[in-house]
Amino acid sequence: MKVISKVSQEEFELQFLSSEWYKEFYDSVRVKYNGIINNPNLLDWQENFFRKELLWKWRYPLLGQLPLEIEWYLIELSAEEFENLLVIREIGWENTFGIGKNLREVAFAVKNNVQDRGNVRFDIIQDIMDNIGKYNFKEKLILISSDLKPPYTIVEGNHRAVAFELKKIETEVNSHLPKQFLLGISRIMNTSPWFNFRQTQQIIG
């Protein structure tokens, strides 16, 4: 893992909102606010305010269960580090794949036709796979951890991440894998229900 730079809360919110901007709950406001998403000015406090409002209005159930004080970083990961990212600890993903699973394990489970027991939506994963090479997936995956050392949990972009890893397994090519990620760290990140961990990993409260 290589740390590229620290990232502001405003940049984090922009990245998160950008990755969600296509979803239907933004249909009614997309035309009005497209400019501050596609051509943002992070020095404009009004833009930052509107982006925060748009993001938190719809994603509070997820964001509200992260620690208040988080340090955000732009990092770079290798292909091997990518496959070891943990998927989100969410009930649907746990019911389907189990606890503490990494991308490689999840991708192989999907490849081997595991039953979707939690409405994970394998069709979304397939749609993303079909668009690899056709669409520029520039939105960064967002990770969380208790410090800068792995393991890291994917808190936003789980379907994309699984699709990327599954494509790598099927084609034995990794040129489509993302290189840069946003990582949020907090010493109390383990208090978040989304924070995942390997069964052999000790969690200190």
Side-chain angles (χ1 to χ4, degrees):
M1 187 276 282
K2 176 183 177 182
V3 174
I4 299 173
S5 65
K6 291 197 73 170
V7 171
S8 67
Q9 177 73 15
E10 292 78 15
E11 174 68 12
F12 155 70
E13 288 168 345
L14 170 63
Q15 289 289 338
F16 202 127
L17 184 58
S18 295
S19 67
E20 302 272 284
W21 195 233
Y22 73 95
K23 294 185 176 178
E24 62 182 16
F25 44 71
Y26 288 119
D27 286 351
S28 62
V29 297
R30 190 173 294 109
V31 172
K32 182 177 181 180
Y33 292 108
N34 248 336
I36 68 170
I37 307 302
N38 297 322
N39 187 30
N41 178 4
L42 290 170
L43 299 179
D44 187 316
W45 71 266
Q46 288 183 312
E47 283 194 17
N48 291 333
F49 173 81
F50 285 128
R51 282 189 291 266
K52 182 185 290 287
E53 288 289 300
L54 289 166
L55 176 62
W56 281 78
K57 179 178 180 179
W58 296 107
R59 295 301 266 157
Y60 177 79
L62 186 149
L63 294 170
Q65 297 191 75
L66 294 176
L68 290 176
E69 299 295 328
I70 299 178
E71 293 182 352
W72 293 100
Y73 294 86
L74 180 64
I75 66 169
E76 188 173 289
L77 297 179
S78 67
E80 182 178 356
E81 290 171 320
F82 178 77
E83 69 181 26
N84 284 310
L85 294 176
L86 303 180
V87 297
I88 192 169
R89 190 177 184 189
E90 187 271 336
I91 189 66
W93 289 75
E94 283 193 4
N95 286 344
T96 301
F97 303 109
I99 297 174
K101 299 303 181 181
N102 65 30
L103 284 179
R104 185 169 179 80
E105 293 166 330
V106 169
F108 267 111
V110 174
K111 179 178 172 61
N112 293 328
N113 298 312
V114 68
Q115 182 181 351
D116 186 350
R117 297 184 176 89
N119 196 30
V120 172
R121 295 287 306 275
F122 292 172
D123 58 308
I124 296 177
I125 295 172
Q126 186 60 55
D127 285 346
I128 295 170
M129 284 186 64
D130 292 343
N131 280 288
I132 293 174
K134 302 174 185 176
Y135 176 79
N136 178 22
F137 291 95
K138 65 181 186 302
E139 296 85 7
K140 292 178 175 59
L141 300 177
I142 299 176
L143 318 176
I144 55 173
S145 184
S146 56
D147 57 42
L148 285 171
K149 296 181 293 186
Y152 310 128
T153 299
I154 304 166
V155 74
E156 204 293 316
N158 283 272
H159 289 95
R160 276 180 287 148
V162 174
F164 295 156
E165 180 63 20
L166 186 53
K167 187 76 169 181
K168 186 192 79 172
I169 290 170
E170 292 188 348
T171 64
E172 298 184 350
V173 173
N174 63 18
S175 58
H176 63 278
L177 296 182
K179 303 291 191 300
Q180 295 184 354
F181 306 79
L182 289 190
L183 170 65
I185 65 170
S186 167
R187 62 181 179 82
I188 59 169
M189 191 64 78
N190 63 295
T191 63
S192 171
W194 315 126
F195 179 79
N196 215 339
F197 57 93
R198 302 296 275 180
Q199 291 297 296
T200 56
Q201 180 184 349
Q202 183 179 6
I203 300 299
I204 300 174

